[in-house]
Amino acid sequence: MLNEEIVYGGLCALASVYPTHVPEFAFFTTYDHTTWHDSRSVRSIWKRVRSTSFWARHVILVPIHDVNHWMLAIVRPQEARIDILDSLADDKLWEEHAKHTADMMTALLHEAEAIHDIQLNIPTPWVAAPLEVDALQTSNYRDCGVWVLVVAAALLKGKQSTGLSDDEIPAFRRFLYHAIATLGSST
Amino acid sequence: MSDNENDNVQPKNEDPAAPINIKVVTSQGEEVFFKIKRNTKLSKLQGAYASKVGKDVGSIRFLYDGNRLHEDDTPATLDMEEGDTIDVMVEQVGGTVL
């Protein structure tokens, strides 16, 4: 069971451990998708994400919190693509969140255009799909937050997905604990 | 008063005891207004908000301009302006304990 401080802190820690591809990435906080879901407030989200320069990045990682479950949206605006990691492998959940994520990203990219007076290729429509993870043959609820970070680590290493298995999750948890503990005190 | 803009290096509001109105907004867009002095710690506002909504202050996250508020932050140290907004989010937990 992970809370949002560990999920977002984990993303920051992984970015510190695997810096090579970080310039291609933008990391949204766990609050951004929730705020969009709750109120569609572009202005509230913009305040939090503008410093990431997400409109200029190849990959935007958007953690998704659904009641008591963590998922991850992997957004690639230049490919008009959104992949959704759902360790529960639910048939419908990914689709609903992919739509929310696409709507949010479209609104935020329009906001970036307006504020920075730039022209972006804003996808219409987006293509969305559930992320295939070989190790997730059965749904995994307990480790959902850890799987978000496992996949983020793989992406930061330049891979498309992860080859980690369920058996290796305890070792990844220890690695993650160490990475977060040594992250430092910056916000 | 100087006509030269470069001479005017004074902050907008120097009086640390001057009150400021701050809006606390949830992710659903619900708003609660507070009036506090510019040198009052925002932890006091956080406690008051938690009491008002009947939640443990430890389960609520307060964000100003995207950043979490720190224990000693005040409107003055954050250079807050009249009518500024603090976003409030509840703790998010996922997964389960065996």
Side-chain angles (χ1 to χ4, degrees), chain A residues 1-5 30-31 34-35 38-39 47-48 50 65 67-68 70 141-142 144 187, chain B residues 27-29 61 63 65-68 70 85 87 89-98:
Chain A
M1 181 164 65
L2 301 185
N3 76 0
E4 86 282 11
E5 293 175 322
T30 63
Y31 305 129
T34 298
T35 300
D38 290 349
S39 66
K47 281 191 298 186
R48 292 197 288 264
R50 62 185 171 192
H65 184 249
V67 191
N68 292 312
W70 288 111
Y141 176 58
R142 177 172 54 96
C144 56
T187 53
Chain B
S27 63
Q28 290 90 12
R61 317 303 193 209
L63 309 166
D65 227 8
N67 296 314
R68 287 279 289 275
H70 295 108
T85 297
D87 292 324
M89 304 293 298
V90 293
E91 182 182 30
Q92 299 168 315
V93 177
T96 186
V97 177
L98 282 182

Side-chain angles (χ1 to χ4, degrees), chain A residues 14-110:
Chain A
L14 291 170
S16 173
V17 173
Y18 305 117
T20 308
H21 297 283
V22 166
E24 301 164 26
F25 283 76
F27 303 92
F28 278 24
T29 75
T30 63
Y31 305 129
D32 304 321
H33 188 274
T34 298
T35 300
W36 179 261
H37 178 273
D38 290 349
S39 66
R40 302 283 192 276
S41 174
V42 175
R43 200 150 279 187
S44 294
I45 302 167
W46 176 260
K47 281 191 298 186
R48 292 197 288 264
V49 301
R50 62 185 171 192
S51 64
T52 69
S53 300
F54 65 90
W55 57 90
R57 304 301 173 103
H58 296 297
V59 186
I60 304 162
L61 298 185
V62 183
I64 297 170
H65 184 249
D66 184 301
V67 191
N68 292 312
H69 181 45
W70 288 111
M71 302 165 69
L72 180 68
I74 302 140
V75 182
R76 293 182 175 89
Q78 287 146 17
E79 299 170 37
R81 183 173 178 87
I82 296 174
D83 292 294
I84 302 285
L85 167 74
D86 174 16
S87 59
L88 279 181
D90 185 277
D91 281 346
K92 293 177 182 164
L93 208 53
W94 74 269
E95 206 165 357
E96 176 194 332
H97 287 303
K99 180 165 185 348
H100 279 304
T101 304
D103 291 345
M104 177 181 77
M105 291 312 309
T106 299
L108 286 170
L109 289 167
H110 280 300

